[in-house]
Amino acid sequence: MGDEIIVPDFSWNNQRLNWNERWMCAAIVAAARSSCLYIHTGAVIVKDKRELANGYNGPPPGFELSCSEFGFCEKRTNKRGIGRCIGNHAETNGLQQIDWQDKIGADIYSLFSPCYRCSKEIAQARLNKVYYLKKYTSTKEDEHPDLPLEYLRQAGIISIELEETPPITKTIETFFPDGLKCPEV
């Protein structure tokens, strides 16, 4: 993508975005920064109709290169001898930018439902709702696919799968022409 300016075609009858569309489109734009070769995702944390932070999956600050710059996924190839993912998840990257008091009662918008680890972090942060477009399927053999959402439910956090509306679809097509892909188990 380089330094070119992307101007999405937002021609959906000049209708104003509703709040869910606005925040999910922001999460899609955040995902465009992802350097992960496995899955691109982004998250936006919102409270009182104000964005507190956003995040995308990739290595933390200080890593000299990411998997996309190396050209291989360390988790799947072990070429550098680490053998594990060097990136943080989008939800984690977003949550780490916010003071703990400000997180309480906030909502998070993410392209995919959270994994189990992120579900625990969301519960610890005492968020109110989790909005997502697609259900994430864990690649861990011992993890039931419904475990992360069940964990959130037991923590009193509401999970809402949003439908793709024209503005969301256009934003996805702009940044991810092949669509959102959640790796299969």
Side-chain angles (χ1 to χ4, degrees), residues 101-145:
Q101 302 98 324
D102 294 333
K103 297 175 193 178
I104 298 170
D107 298 333
I108 189 166
Y109 288 78
S110 183
L111 276 60
F112 299 97
S113 61
C115 70
Y116 184 61
R117 187 184 80 198
C118 288
S119 291
K120 293 193 299 184
E121 290 187 29
I122 289 167
Q124 179 68 30
R126 296 168 54 194
L127 298 188
N128 186 42
K129 293 179 185 168
V130 174
Y131 295 91
Y132 63 93
L133 284 178
K134 294 181 182 255
K135 188 172 179 184
Y136 176 74
T137 305
S138 174
T139 57
K140 296 179 178 131
E141 294 176 13
D142 63 338
E143 188 174 302
H144 189 278

Side-chain angles (χ1 to χ4, degrees), residues 41 56-60 75 84-96 108 113-125 127 136 138 140 143-145 147-149 151-152 157:
T41 190
Y56 52 88
N57 55 330
K75 182 177 181 178
R84 302 199 47 90
C85 180
I86 61 172
N88 287 326
H89 293 190
E91 299 91 338
T92 299
N93 278 331
L95 287 169
Q96 289 177 348
I108 189 166
S113 61
C115 70
Y116 184 61
R117 187 184 80 198
C118 288
S119 291
K120 293 193 299 184
E121 290 187 29
I122 289 167
Q124 179 68 30
L127 298 188
Y136 176 74
S138 174
K140 296 179 178 131
E143 188 174 302
H144 189 278
L147 181 62
L149 295 177
Y151 187 92
L152 292 174
I157 298 168

